[in-house]
Amino acid sequence: MTQIRVKGFKIFKDRHGKPRCYHRETGHKIDLAQSPIGSAEFFAECETIRSIAEAQKAKAPKAGTLGGLIHSYFATEHFQNLAEATRRDYRKCADFLEPIKGTPIHVIDTPLIAGVHDKAAKKIGWRRANMVRTLLSEVFRYNIPKGLISANFAKDVIPKRRPRDRAYANRPWTIEERDIALGKAKPHVRVALALMMNTGLDPSDALRLRKDQVDGGTIWGVRGKTGEEVAIPVSPTLLAALDRMPDHNAETVLSNSRGEAWTYNGFSTVWHRFKSALENEGLIEKGLTLKGLRHTVATTLREAGLDERRIADLLGQKTPSMARHYSRSANLAEKNRETMATLEKENERRAKIVKPSPESVKPDQSEDEI
């Protein structure tokens, strides 16, 4: 009986005496029932697997290139511990750099990276270009200790400035816009907006907030983007909003209409549909974002006279001059209680100055539309 051998493949019999075959490098198995050993179908399958493996190998970043450095950074613990949204944005930046991934390390310098930065600004905009610069800076920084590159050639590249004619990104909401949104939103959306309005939590952190993180009248958590601890007192306004929330069994504070935890994409879709409807009715101006609610809290407190350090403590923002330890969260709770009281009073004061007409805040009657 002739023994068939194919380079790169292992052909054998298992402990039950049944013939098996797989590609050594990739582990891809061949279904010998459909492609018997020695048949034309068998050799065709082997050739297909080999071609796919070679194509994938050619596509993989090579050592000693920019692509290799990026691949090395993506494997670091630092990258794996970044917020999901940040990892997603960095991968998009890597996609932009795909055409030059084969650039040898020895030709990389600051002028080259500055040129890449300029080209990115023209193609994908100033904000994304700055993100590309940030990614490259992190890639170089984490590969220097490995001896893979000599310096951080992105560090001295000057970030692009926001064009003067660009609108305020994530602008603060007005009192009228907050009242209209709360009045028009369905219960599950309304309580989510109220949570962001009365805490300054980032939308992703608000949607992930678990019930067990609310204890003793305080929200205890960690900001996903920075890893900073936050201790946010639950104000009377927020408590009233939470009490009106429909019952659900999700482990998160917020839930969708099915009683399940919101996904970020799910809430974003509902929010966009809801916001567009309000814009079409002329009830709100364009430019409202969920992140803008975080800016609203910061702006309100700043205008009320609070210093930036106290506002940063409430929002879980990190500063180079002050590193805070986990145990300090307990101390933050009392200080933030005073901060939250200021926010509550300021919102009440502004609401008395400008009150929307009753017609503009009537809840919708339909339960199927946002």
Side-chain angles (χ1 to χ4, degrees), residues 89-104:
D89 286 340
Y90 277 180
R91 290 197 183 280
K92 288 180 181 178
C93 292
D95 291 340
F96 172 79
L97 296 169
E98 181 75 13
I100 60 169
K101 71 176 184 180
T103 303

Side-chain angles (χ1 to χ4, degrees), residues 244-285:
R244 290 193 298 270
M245 181 171 181
D247 292 334
H248 64 87
N249 295 321
E251 67 174 9
T252 51
V253 172
L254 304 175
S255 78
N256 57 29
S257 59
R258 298 185 300 277
E260 301 169 350
W262 283 104
T263 64
Y264 186 83
N265 288 340
F267 190 82
S268 294
T269 299
V270 171
W271 158 248
H272 180 74
R273 198 164 59 231
F274 174 48
K275 179 181 71 169
S276 297
L278 295 181
E279 288 177 351
N280 292 337
E281 292 180 47
L283 297 177
I284 62 172
E285 296 294 327

Side-chain angles (χ1 to χ4, degrees), residues 126-127 130 159-170:
W126 68 277
R127 186 185 299 277
N130 285 343
K160 301 295 181 185
R161 297 187 64 179
R162 170 194 292 276
R164 291 185 176 182
D165 59 347
R166 287 293 299 272
Y168 189 122
N170 302 314

Side-chain angles (χ1 to χ4, degrees), residues 75-290:
T76 63
E77 183 179 359
H78 174 266
F79 176 76
Q80 298 302 325
N81 286 334
L82 293 175
E84 181 181 349
T86 304
R87 294 199 305 272
R88 184 171 60 248
D89 286 340
Y90 277 180
R91 290 197 183 280
K92 288 180 181 178
C93 292
D95 291 340
F96 172 79
L97 296 169
E98 181 75 13
I100 60 169
K101 71 176 184 180
T103 303
I105 289 175
H106 70 272
V107 305
I108 296 176
D109 56 17
T110 296
L112 175 67
I113 300 304
V116 172
H117 187 221
D118 290 340
K119 188 173 182 179
K122 293 179 181 178
K123 279 198 159 187
I124 57 178
W126 68 277
R127 186 185 299 277
R128 284 289 176 184
N130 285 343
M131 189 168 292
V132 169
R133 171 193 171 277
T134 300
L135 168 63
L136 289 172
S137 181
E138 293 295 271
V139 166
F140 298 150
R141 186 161 72 98
Y142 278 86
N143 278 295
I144 289 174
K146 298 177 183 179
L148 299 179
I149 195 165
S150 60
N152 187 344
F153 295 110
K155 183 179 66 173
D156 294 328
V157 175
I158 301 173
K160 301 295 181 185
R161 297 187 64 179
R162 170 194 292 276
R164 291 185 176 182
D165 59 347
R166 287 293 299 272
Y168 189 122
N170 302 314
R171 67 169 176 82
W173 294 33
T174 66
I175 285 289
E176 298 97 322
E177 287 170 332
R178 280 178 275 176
D179 288 344
I180 289 170
L182 290 175
K184 288 285 188 177
K186 294 299 173 53
H188 298 86
V189 176
R190 184 186 303 123
V191 70
L193 295 177
L195 178 61
M196 297 176 208
M197 286 178 186
N198 292 281
T199 61
L201 282 172
D202 186 88
S204 57
D205 291 335
L207 296 175
R208 285 197 303 263
L209 184 67
R210 302 187 312 274
K211 293 176 181 176
D212 61 10
Q213 290 179 275
V214 183
D215 181 51
T218 301
I219 294 172
W220 306 89
V222 176
R223 192 182 173 208
K225 186 175 182 179
T226 64
E228 290 291 289
E229 280 77 33
V230 294
I232 306 173
V234 178
S235 67
T237 299
L238 177 56
L239 182 60
L242 294 175
D243 288 342
R244 290 193 298 270
M245 181 171 181
D247 292 334
H248 64 87
N249 295 321
E251 67 174 9
T252 51
V253 172
L254 304 175
S255 78
N256 57 29
S257 59
R258 298 185 300 277
E260 301 169 350
W262 283 104
T263 64
Y264 186 83
N265 288 340
F267 190 82
S268 294
T269 299
V270 171
W271 158 248
H272 180 74
R273 198 164 59 231
F274 174 48
K275 179 181 71 169
S276 297
L278 295 181
E279 288 177 351
N280 292 337
E281 292 180 47
L283 297 177
I284 62 172
E285 296 294 327
K286 292 186 179 296
L288 283 194
T289 65
L290 294 173

